[in-house]
Amino acid sequence: MLKKCKSNPCQRLAQCSHDKCVYCCNKSHPLRDYSSRPHSPGKYKGHYALGAEIELIGDRLRRVGFTCHDGSLSTPDGENLENGGEIKLVGHCCRMPARVANKCELARSLGAYANKTCGFHIHMDRRDIEQSRVDEMMQWFNAHESWFFALVPKRRRDGAYTRKLFTLRGTHYTWVNSRETTVELRIHPGTANPSKAYAWTLYCASLVHHLHSGMSWHTHHPLDLAPKISHQYLEERLNHDGVLEDFSLPPKVYEETQVGIFSHPQVIREEI
């Protein structure tokens, strides 16, 4: 027997736990705990996986997908935000650029935005890769650190969560870090722009493929590994001193993804 929701003065039928309706339950528990994970990348065994953490601010972020509260997000005055969250995605490397862009487009349509405290982190699959190969990749990142820092605003270069590579050993609060199963690239500022998100995720997907290819890192400049779309985006960031107000790609760019993210932003919403 259905009961009335116990949140006064709500009179909806309770269809959720805690004797609350879905509306009141979501309102009182808007975002998941920060430590929550969408699922293990183990389900992508035999395929390169890519993970994304998109930090945004908005009252309706939970509608976008698997979203956790992020206490590191704050107002310009340093006040913590209750509606600051992190959209977490894990998926096949080749499909992630379109999925990430999809989420950004949906989030933006729901009023979400990124401020100066938001980041956009990509986890690159390093499973089944020898440690020496990962070390070579990290040395390559270190050698090109100034180039990567030139891509972003000064606040990201000096950020507490994006420190220089060898200033904080043994921590993941450097701009790139190696973990047990992934290499995390944290340098990109937060964004709800689907074109920016697509171009950056595509670049990271290219780095994952290079990592698994066994080819040398040290003979390549970072732009050498960028697909055409990403190359355009990275050069524009460099030309604007890391502060790129707007960037847009034509819809035809996404034709190969089989998902029209601009016309159907909810097509591949995740189960939550």
Side-chain angles (χ1 to χ4, degrees), residues 2 5 26-27 35 57 60 75-76 123 127 132 137 143 151 155 161 176 180 186 190 201 203 224 240 245 247 262-263:
L2 291 175
C5 177
N26 286 348
K27 186 176 180 181
S35 61
I57 300 164
R60 296 190 287 173
T75 66
H123 287 263
R127 292 170 300 161
S132 60
M137 182 186 194
L151 293 173
R155 66 177 183 273
Y161 300 108
V176 61
E180 184 177 353
R186 303 171 57 89
T201 309
Y203 180 60
D224 295 341
H240 290 81
E245 295 295 334
F247 178 77
F262 291 104
S263 57

Side-chain angles (χ1 to χ4, degrees), residues 64-75:
V64 179
F66 194 101
T67 310
C68 303
H69 176 69
D70 192 331
S72 69
L73 307 185
S74 62
T75 66

Side-chain angles (χ1 to χ4, degrees), residues 78-239:
E79 182 180 348
N80 287 340
L81 290 164
E82 291 298 326
N83 61 346
E86 183 176 275
I87 303 167
K88 297 183 179 183
L89 298 169
V90 180
H92 291 285
C93 190
C94 61
R95 297 198 56 182
M96 281 297 286
R99 292 185 62 204
V100 168
N102 180 306
K103 295 297 184 181
C104 288
E105 179 71 8
L106 181 56
R108 191 163 64 171
S109 72
L110 295 172
Y113 64 95
N115 71 5
K116 294 181 179 181
T117 65
C118 295
F120 177 30
H121 310 156
I122 298 291
H123 287 263
M124 298 175 285
D125 191 355
R126 55 155 291 187
R127 292 170 300 161
D128 303 322
I129 297 294
E130 293 183 1
Q131 185 60 45
S132 60
R133 177 71 177 160
V134 176
D135 290 342
E136 183 184 355
M137 182 186 194
M138 295 300 291
Q139 291 168 8
W140 179 82
F141 276 124
N142 185 52
H144 295 285
E145 184 173 71
S146 59
W147 185 88
F148 279 96
F149 272 41
L151 293 173
V152 299
K154 189 176 185 298
R155 66 177 183 273
R156 295 297 290 176
R157 306 169 202 168
D158 301 333
Y161 300 108
T162 50
R163 301 288 184 87
K164 289 187 177 181
L165 192 54
F166 291 116
T167 57
L168 290 176
R169 293 179 181 271
T171 177
H172 70 274
Y173 289 137
T174 50
W175 67 274
V176 61
N177 62 83
S178 175
R179 302 191 180 189
E180 184 177 353
T181 58
T182 69
V183 173
E184 182 189 21
L185 193 53
R186 303 171 57 89
I187 190 66
H188 199 285
T191 183
N193 182 318
S195 293
K196 290 182 179 182
Y198 182 93
W200 181 249
T201 309
L202 184 65
Y203 180 60
C204 293
S206 176
L207 296 181
V208 171
H209 282 290
H210 191 77
L211 174 64
H212 287 260
S213 71
M215 298 176 64
S216 173
W217 285 96
H218 299 300
T219 57
H220 293 283
H221 185 272
L223 279 177
D224 295 341
L225 303 179
K228 184 177 180 180
I229 295 170
S230 302
H231 196 287
Q232 174 191 348
Y233 175 60
L234 297 174
E235 284 198 323
E236 287 203 30
R237 292 205 72 93
L238 291 170
N239 292 336

Side-chain angles (χ1 to χ4, degrees), residues 102 258-260 263-269:
N102 180 306
Q258 301 179 350
V259 179
S263 57
H264 303 288
Q266 69 276 33
V267 166
I268 51 175
R269 283 188 60 190

